[in-house]
Amino acid sequence: MGGSTDAGTAEDTGSDTEPLVTVVVTTYDRPSYLLDCVESVLAQTYEPIELVVVDDCSDTPASETLADVDTDSLAAYRCVRHGTNRGVNAARNTGVEAGTGTYVAFLDDDDRWVPEKVERHVEAFEAADEDVGVVYSGTKAIHEDGAREELPPRIDGDLTKALLCRNVVGSMSVVMVRADLAREVQFDEEFEAWADLEWFVRVSQRAAFVRLPEALVVYEYTSHGRLSDDFEKKRRGYDSFLDRFDGVAASYGRPFRRKMRAWAAFRAGSSALYTGNYGEARRLLFTAVVRYPLEPRFLAYLLASLGGRSTHLLARGLSRSLG
């Protein structure tokens, strides 16, 4: 994939009884987050783990950031660096290609895992039917006003219809996937935003999902530089998502196609609202309401956008007080 290996250790790639898990950590210019992230991998209760850190051309190479980290407990460790900044999807593809495990688990550099994360996922895989390709869990979300668990709705099996409307899985950090499936369904390196959801949809067309009823990932909404903060990329993601999956949605019938397009408009509109692009928010949220008026939150968000910053702040205050 055009990367270079900076470091690698360990020859043992697994035991006779437990499958090797490849953990792919993708990173770009967040050394302090990266250290905490990798420490959470080293603290896992499961063995054997192969850690692949993919550095997407950070100013400070990840190999330097992690130089003093003790990785002896791992079955294998390697740090791969891209020669140019190519984006998170390219980094994930590089990590999958470099790995040798039976399963692949992804971890963004500003997220952390609880110690039982990998163990619980492997247990679920080993107990699952052969058609299961992905196991996912909930998150412990850290907001400015405190922490709370966020568990996706309990949906197992074929998730395609659900994912066409909503990301019912979460971020890449909550999933573990069969390695053969990850190699078969590569990440689209041209997809700038909604990349996780886009990949989940394509994977769901080939394999079933199983959800663990636990919050096993620590996700900090206060982290800087998250892709969700960039509305222009979200706007382009909206167009790309509709272009790619409009036909898939239409195969479920015209009413569902309208519903899918409404949810896409809502995701883009809520992002516009969050980033203060109130004109775009009103337009997109109005589109969502017109296409699918049966979803109450579409109207609620539209009303919050009508007065710009003042009504948005009022709605957020009411939401916090009621929550």
Side-chain angles (χ1 to χ4, degrees):
M1 303 299 292
S4 61
T5 300
D6 292 328
T9 62
E11 297 180 356
D12 182 19
T13 57
S15 68
D16 294 333
T17 58
E18 294 182 312
L20 177 69
V21 174
T22 299
V23 176
V24 175
V25 171
T26 53
T27 187
Y28 175 64
D29 275 347
R30 289 189 285 209
S32 61
Y33 287 117
L34 176 62
L35 281 169
D36 290 340
C37 166
V38 168
E39 289 292 349
S40 79
V41 176
L42 298 174
Q44 291 298 298
T45 58
Y46 181 85
E47 295 180 4
I49 287 176
E50 168 190 59
L51 174 60
V52 179
V53 177
V54 183
D55 177 1
D56 197 26
C57 200
S58 300
D59 289 339
T60 300
S63 58
E64 294 182 13
T65 301
L66 301 174
D68 295 329
V69 175
D70 184 358
T71 59
D72 289 345
S73 63
L74 298 171
Y77 163 68
R78 56 186 59 88
C79 187
V80 183
R81 179 175 169 85
H82 285 169
T84 59
N85 181 250
R86 296 166 50 197
V88 66
N89 275 358
R92 288 166 179 163
N93 283 334
T94 295
V96 170
E97 184 177 276
T100 61
T102 302
Y103 304 115
V104 179
F106 300 95
L107 182 56
D108 294 338
D109 62 1
D110 51 356
D111 294 334
R112 303 187 303 277
W113 286 342
V114 304
E116 299 78 20
K117 207 277 186 179
V118 172
E119 181 177 4
R120 293 287 294 114
H121 280 251
V122 172
E123 288 173 351
F125 261 120
E126 298 300 287
D129 294 335
E130 291 184 358
D131 66 332
V132 171
V134 177
V135 174
Y136 66 109
S137 65
T139 62
K140 180 180 181 182
I142 311 298
H143 296 268
E144 292 180 356
D145 57 349
R148 56 180 176 268
E149 289 190 355
E150 296 182 351
L151 296 175
R154 185 60 187 264
I155 307 176
D156 292 332
D158 182 357
L159 262 63
T160 301
K161 283 188 72 174
L163 286 166
L164 284 170
C165 291
R166 300 173 59 192
N167 185 350
V168 296
V169 173
S171 73
M172 288 303 305
S173 296
V174 308
V175 305
M176 183 181 288
V177 60
R178 291 198 327 261
D180 60 330
L181 184 61
R183 293 189 178 92
E184 180 182 353
V185 185
Q186 293 189 342
F187 294 90
D188 186 339
E189 298 180 13
E190 301 301 318
F191 223 87
E192 290 187 288
W194 299 10
D196 297 359
L197 179 58
E198 188 274 339
W199 187 77
F200 293 151
V201 174
R202 286 190 289 120
V203 170
S204 74
Q205 294 175 297
R206 298 172 183 262
F209 285 56
V210 167
R211 197 210 81 176
L212 294 171
E214 304 168 62
L216 300 175
V217 177
V218 180
Y219 183 99
E220 291 197 35
Y221 280 87
T222 55
S223 295
H224 296 294
R226 286 196 179 275
L227 185 59
S228 57
D229 295 342
D230 190 331
F231 170 68
E232 288 305 318
K233 287 185 177 180
K234 274 290 182 70
R235 183 64 178 81
R236 292 193 293 270
Y238 167 68
D239 294 330
S240 299
F241 189 87
L242 291 182
D243 289 343
R244 176 152 299 176
F245 295 118
D246 191 65
V248 179
S251 69
Y252 293 105
R254 291 182 64 184
F256 181 80
R257 177 176 177 267
R258 289 183 62 85
K259 181 179 178 180
M260 182 277 278
R261 294 178 70 87
W263 273 103
F266 171 73
R267 285 196 301 277
S270 58
S271 177
L273 183 64
Y274 174 76
T275 54
N277 292 275
Y278 297 114
E280 279 288 286
R282 286 189 288 270
R283 186 182 66 79
L284 289 161
L285 293 168
F286 179 76
T287 298
V289 171
V290 170
R291 285 177 176 166
Y292 193 68
L294 299 179
E295 175 54 56
R297 79 182 72 182
F298 294 174
L299 180 60
Y301 274 65
L302 175 60
L303 294 175
S305 72
L306 292 180
R309 179 177 173 81
S310 59
T311 54
H312 181 209
L313 292 177
L314 176 61
R316 289 178 64 180
L318 289 172
S319 177
R320 288 196 185 101
S321 63
L322 293 174

